[in-house]
Amino acid sequence: MPKRLTRSFFCRSVHEVAPDLIGATLLFDGVGGGIVEVEAYHHTDAAAHSFRGRTARNAVMFGPPGYAYVYRSYGIHWCLNFVCEPKGSASAVLIRALEPTVGLRAMRRRRGVADERLLCAGPGRVCEALRITGAQNGMALDAPPFELFARTGLVEVMAGPRIGITKAAEKPWRYGLKGSRFLSKPFSSAVMSLI
DNA sequence: TGCCCGATTAACT
DNA sequence: GTTAATCGGGCAA
């Protein structure tokens, strides 16, 4: 049985936690799969919601690590983040894609598509498949209905520029599982490490 | 108060 | 490749 991720897992730099999440398993209400793509956001990073200080929307990012920060994107979609580092550093990891493994029937129904590769390939799609909304903003990640399990064994992690941003777009803070069919977009084969 | 724009997606051509 | 959908946050006035 894989080891559950606890609060302490998130009490590190967002740049350590983000690649470490590749290969971990995320379930919400018993539905989800393996994390194959994430992005890191830090308060010193112009692309981060926390960059310009605390507001009502991003308040959870300024709180303790190990909690979910969920925000509305383009007025349409929800996006899920994991808050990292010591309290107040205002950093988080955006969950961008999963390899769906548990609850495929529910995910297909919620998403309205049959193709496994399109169930969780993108941050908005992940939230739709897992039925995560603003109601989950501020919820603890180490307690139900969230379940997180550490990966078992080594994985090859790719790194590259983040998607859909204009500020600090050159920073290589997007991480993904090498060769996964479930990425929201392929990596251009630049940086890779075995962890 | 008004205006611009975004950590997106799906449906176009 | 391009664009509409859709709306709250953040900032200027």
Side-chain angles (χ1 to χ4, degrees):
Chain A
M1 195 62 179
K3 180 183 162 192
R4 272 179 199 273
L5 297 184
T6 59
R7 189 79 46 90
S8 62
F9 178 87
F10 298 98
C11 296
R12 295 178 291 151
S13 161
V14 70
H15 296 301
E16 293 179 42
V17 176
D20 258 6
L21 280 168
I22 300 301
T25 296
L26 164 66
L27 301 181
F28 182 77
D29 270 335
V31 173
I35 297 173
V36 298
E37 182 183 339
V38 301
E39 287 176 358
Y41 289 88
H42 190 270
H43 75 285
T44 56
D45 160 19
H49 288 173
S50 53
F51 182 65
R52 292 174 196 288
R54 180 180 177 139
T55 65
R57 176 177 66 152
N58 65 25
V60 174
M61 284 186 79
F62 287 80
Y67 287 82
Y69 165 51
V70 184
Y71 70 91
R72 188 80 121 150
S73 176
Y74 288 85
I76 308 168
H77 310 289
W78 297 102
C79 292
L80 170 67
N81 296 254
F82 297 165
V83 177
C84 294
E85 304 193 71
K87 173 174 171 148
S89 67
S91 67
V93 178
L94 171 68
I95 307 303
R96 288 196 55 92
L98 306 180
E99 174 174 346
T101 56
V102 186
L104 290 171
R105 185 184 300 269
M107 289 192 271
R108 285 199 171 96
R109 184 176 64 245
R110 295 166 183 174
R111 289 275 300 116
V113 297
D115 188 342
E116 265 186 47
R117 291 168 299 182
L118 296 178
L119 292 181
C120 301
R125 291 164 169 173
V126 169
C127 286
E128 187 171 39
L130 272 58
R131 200 180 277 157
I132 287 170
T133 70
Q136 278 68 54
N137 189 39
M139 285 182 62
L141 297 170
D142 59 357
F146 281 102
E147 287 180 283
L148 279 166
F149 299 95
R151 65 162 165 255
T152 59
L154 298 174
V155 292
E156 288 185 291
V157 176
M158 306 288 294
R162 294 172 294 180
I163 293 174
I165 58 171
T166 54
K167 298 162 192 157
E170 76 287 357
K171 304 291 186 186
W173 292 337
R174 172 177 177 243
Y175 302 96
L177 181 63
K178 186 187 179 188
S180 173
R181 307 160 51 223
F182 300 96
L183 298 171
S184 67
K185 287 185 181 148
F187 282 80
S188 52
S189 83
V191 190
M192 185 190 76
S193 64
L194 185 69
I195 59 176

